[in-house]
Amino acid sequence: ASVLQYTAGIAYGEKTTYGAIAQALGRPKAARAVGGSLHINRTPIVVPCHRVVGASGSLTGFAGGLDMKKALLLLESNPE
């Protein structure tokens, strides 16, 4: 699977990290490469890269801006 395919499978309301994706794809040292792949994501609605966060849970690198990433994650974490 590719980074984009893996990321497309992250469920609504769930989060993961760049490192976890790299690990799942058998490339445990490739977290930065995962970030690079997601940086060029042209279909953020289909491939929800806003659900990928830094290892510490920090919000990092989102083409729509970190405020938008935060808003999307907040929206998905609200059960109403």
Side-chain angles (χ1 to χ4, degrees):
S2 73
V3 171
L4 295 178
Q5 288 171 327
Y6 187 91
T7 304
I10 301 170
Y12 184 89
E14 297 294 319
K15 290 188 287 188
T16 191
T17 66
Y18 299 98
I21 293 173
Q23 182 74 34
L25 296 177
R27 305 277 315 271
K29 296 182 180 182
R32 293 188 100 177
V34 169
S37 292
L38 293 177
H39 178 72
I40 60 171
N41 176 15
R42 296 185 186 265
T43 55
I45 292 173
V46 177
V47 180
C49 54
H50 66 279
R51 296 178 186 154
V52 184
V53 299
S56 67
S58 61
L59 302 185
T60 60
F62 183 63
L66 295 183
D67 287 339
M68 179 59 76
K69 184 171 188 167
K70 183 177 183 178
L72 289 168
L73 290 171
L74 183 62
L75 174 70
E76 291 185 9
S77 69
N78 190 349
E80 294 179 18

